[in-house]
Amino acid sequence: MSVESLKCKECGTSYELDASYVCENCFGPLEVAYDYSGLDAAEVKRRIQAGSQGIWRYSDFLPFKGRASDPLEPGLTPLLKADRLAERLGVDAEIWIKNDAANPTHSFKDRVVAVAVAKAQELGFDTVACASTGNLANAVAAHAAAAGLKSYVFVPANLEEQKLLATGVYGTNLVGVRGNYDDVNRLCTQLAETRPWAFVNVNLRPYYAEGSKTLAYETVEQLGWKLPDRVVSPIASGSLFTKLGRGFQEWLDLGLVEGKQPVFNGAQAEGCSPVATAFAEGWEVCKPQRPETIAKSLAIGDPADGPYAVEHARKTGGGVDSVTDQEIREGIKLLAETTGIFTETAGGVTVGVLRKLAERGELAAGERVVVYITGEGLKTLDATRDTFQMHEIDPSLESFESEFRQEVAA
Amino acid sequence: MSVTVKIPTQLRAATGGQAELEVEGGTVGEVLDAVFDAHNGLRDRITQDGDLRRFVNVYVSGEDIRFQQGLETSINDGDEVTILPAVAGG
């Protein structure tokens, strides 16, 4: 597939493939447009299967003329069947966990950043930057270091310590902004006008967002070239959610896979649920909120792709739900106890919504559900604190036995 | 009330390249009308049927007007009105 232009998602105006992201006619978002004609599905499939062990195996669907590469190639993360989780939820659906914490900086953001940094280099930038809720900060700092580029990473100053430490270590210019993510994002939108930098999720956002499609492609490939019946994915800006849909659609259109779009269920935290609210109210726009949740990586009160996420959930017969902070903690624990996967708060949100769907009886027997776990539990340790107790004993057999007498006897 | 309105790069083709405009107005709506009177090309770019398009954000001295009274948000002397695209981030 060859990349053609940038195209406005609202009015369709075309633009050159440079560092721009806003339509000058209607202020809508720009998206990468490709020319599908002339692609042979069988040939593409062979190219994919003979490709690298990561996202660049899908180069036909990424916004580069040639085949890009990078030293920290993300992707091909495990897709695991979670029978014990299904059992705990009391459903006969097939539950699969796509563990995207298994990326170089432990979140799905490595996918989008790998694409954005490769594009920044192609366009001749020497500095990359971003507005981040944490995971993106880690990824931008790391991929910039690997590529030998300078970087500026802007985050809310009150971010989890683990995410600050896992960013600063790469030698980036880490900027903690006294405000919430939406303040950081506004500042970066303004800075992108004056600084000659590649802001991965501002002026390079059309390319960056394309990286999320690789999660859809991998899912199909790992299911033996089959589509899931349903996906459950977290929603922050709504970009991942909508690009998963675009990824599945491209392969359907090309005949690489047969069937139809999965049902899309979005997951938000109750303390930051502009998309879930818009879905519930039947709105076409999202009313911004001031986030108040432990799921900081999803704490975007003014989601750029919110309207498209609502639209996609509706179109596929799915929905967007939200869960409380307590349900997020329970979701983290449920996943850990049944699969051995320790996810961050965003994953707790996603599993929390999966549980809600199960409780409402929405998961049919035999239905194949893929749950996207986008980040690593070690980055949000506070969420796990006080959710279990340690047994403290003296270093003696007596002490152990007195503590565990009942269990040993049994 | 005299205010400064900051125009983003993507709209400057419609203002003859100007990045800042000085206009009068008591509310955000009045300020934007004054801006459109001066540069008519801006009206259709950021509004539709009298409302802001869905990917346009307007801030009064750093505060999103949707947290205030929208286009009815009142303006104080010396306030700065900033128009920005709502399609970044995440």
Side-chain angles (χ1 to χ4, degrees):
Chain A
M1 181 149 43
S2 87
V3 55
E4 261 197 339
S5 61
L6 293 178
K7 205 169 181 182
C8 175
K9 274 184 91 163
E10 294 284 293
C11 75
T13 307
S14 287
Y15 295 85
E16 294 290 311
L17 288 160
D18 53 23
S20 57
Y21 67 111
V22 184
C23 177
E24 293 178 10
N25 289 333
C26 75
F27 240 42
L30 304 185
E31 189 171 52
V32 178
Y34 301 86
D35 177 12
Y36 293 79
S37 65
L39 267 197
D40 176 79
E43 236 173 73
V44 171
K45 191 168 172 178
R46 273 196 299 277
R47 265 205 298 277
I48 291 170
Q49 289 173 322
S52 70
Q53 295 299 303
I55 64 166
W56 302 118
R57 67 200 276 108
Y58 307 114
S59 286
D60 279 313
F61 304 91
L62 293 173
F64 302 93
K65 298 278 185 205
R67 299 179 86 78
S69 68
D70 77 282
L72 281 184
E73 182 171 0
L76 284 199
T77 53
L79 179 70
L80 307 163
K81 193 151 170 282
D83 292 343
R84 295 189 53 247
L85 175 57
E87 201 183 302
R88 276 275 290 274
L89 292 171
V91 296
D92 292 321
E94 258 183 40
I95 310 281
W96 294 75
I97 301 294
K98 179 68 171 161
N99 182 16
D100 227 32
N103 269 314
T105 69
H106 317 287
S107 87
F108 88 103
K109 289 294 186 185
D110 284 308
R111 297 175 183 273
V112 283
V113 171
V115 172
V117 168
K119 197 69 193 182
Q121 288 177 295
E122 189 188 279
L123 293 171
F125 287 97
D126 65 5
T127 303
V128 291
C130 69
S132 172
T133 57
N135 282 320
L136 179 59
N138 296 176
V140 165
H143 287 261
L149 300 175
K150 285 178 285 202
S151 64
Y152 285 81
V153 166
F154 297 82
V155 295
N158 72 348
L159 212 54
E160 296 98 340
E161 188 186 22
Q162 292 92 0
K163 283 186 178 154
L164 295 176
L165 294 172
T167 301
V169 69
Y170 298 109
T172 184
N173 296 290
L174 175 59
V175 186
V177 177
R178 290 185 289 270
N180 63 27
Y181 175 77
D182 298 296
D183 296 321
V184 177
N185 195 34
R186 174 175 52 78
L187 174 64
C188 286
T189 304
Q190 291 175 295
L191 277 170
E193 294 198 355
T194 54
R195 298 280 170 169
W197 299 342
F199 278 86
V200 299
N201 56 347
V202 184
N203 52 348
L204 290 200
R205 192 169 191 268
Y207 309 102
Y208 158 95
E210 289 291 286
S212 289
K213 295 190 307 187
T214 60
L215 256 174
Y217 305 146
E218 280 180 28
T219 304
V220 170
E221 226 191 324
Q222 290 172 319
L223 289 174
W225 297 88
K226 295 242 164 32
L227 286 159
D229 298 306
R230 180 189 298 272
V231 299
V232 186
S233 158
I235 296 181
S237 74
S239 175
L240 167 64
F241 193 78
T242 48
K243 289 293 180 173
L244 280 170
R246 191 177 191 209
F248 291 131
Q249 196 58 49
E250 284 175 342
W251 279 23
L252 278 165
D253 291 347
L254 202 63
L256 270 172
V257 65
E258 286 176 5
K260 62 179 180 64
Q261 272 283 343
V263 173
F264 268 66
N265 285 104
Q268 293 211 293
E270 212 171 270
C272 181
S273 50
V275 184
T277 305
F279 182 86
E281 300 287 338
W283 297 337
E284 284 183 13
V285 290
C286 296
K287 202 169 156 209
Q289 296 181 0
R290 289 203 172 86
E292 195 59 57
T293 169
I294 58 168
K296 293 185 180 177
S297 58
L298 301 182
I300 298 184
D302 185 16
D305 287 306
Y308 298 125
V310 170
E311 199 178 298
H312 195 65
R314 274 188 202 129
K315 207 171 66 188
T316 60
V320 185
D321 281 278
S322 62
V323 291
T324 63
D325 282 357
Q326 183 53 28
E327 290 170 319
I328 295 170
R329 290 192 186 91
E330 289 166 8
I332 292 173
K333 204 147 191 282
L334 177 61
L335 185 71
E337 288 177 355
T338 55
T339 66
I341 295 168
F342 180 24
T343 184
E344 66 148 288
T345 45
V349 170
T350 311
V351 174
V353 166
L354 175 74
R355 196 173 81 176
K356 270 198 168 175
L357 295 172
E359 285 167 359
R360 292 204 300 249
E362 290 186 30
L363 307 179
E367 178 178 341
R368 188 177 269 180
V369 184
V370 172
V371 179
Y372 290 94
I373 295 302
T374 48
E376 164 68 53
L378 293 173
K379 292 194 197 180
T380 60
L381 287 170
D382 281 346
T384 322
R385 192 157 287 138
D386 302 328
T387 60
F388 60 89
Q389 280 196 323
M390 182 173 77
H391 301 271
E392 191 168 333
I393 61 167
D394 294 325
S396 72
L397 293 173
E398 292 76 16
S399 183
F400 173 78
E401 274 163 15
S402 100
E403 179 78 14
F404 284 91
R405 190 173 300 130
Q406 284 182 329
E407 285 189 35
V408 173
Chain B
M1 226 62 76
S2 172
V3 288
T4 305
V5 181
K6 294 207 156 184
I7 306 295
T9 327
Q10 298 85 2
L11 294 179
R12 287 182 204 157
T15 61
Q18 277 182 273
E20 284 188 8
L21 303 172
E22 293 292 331
V23 296
E24 297 279 327
T27 63
V28 172
E30 289 171 18
V31 166
L32 290 178
D33 280 337
V35 168
F36 299 150
D37 287 345
H39 302 281
N40 193 40
L42 278 177
R43 188 184 302 272
D44 287 347
R45 285 183 163 85
I46 60 172
T47 66
Q48 197 170 23
D49 307 325
D51 272 325
L52 286 174
R53 286 180 183 270
R54 62 179 182 172
F55 292 103
V56 178
N57 279 350
V58 176
Y59 302 85
V60 175
S61 296
E63 182 77 0
D64 191 324
I65 60 165
R66 289 171 299 173
F67 285 120
Q68 304 173 67
Q69 286 77 50
L71 294 175
E72 300 301 317
T73 305
S74 56
I75 301 286
N76 296 313
D77 214 13
D79 269 340
E80 197 173 78
V81 173
T82 309
I83 302 169
L84 284 177
V87 295

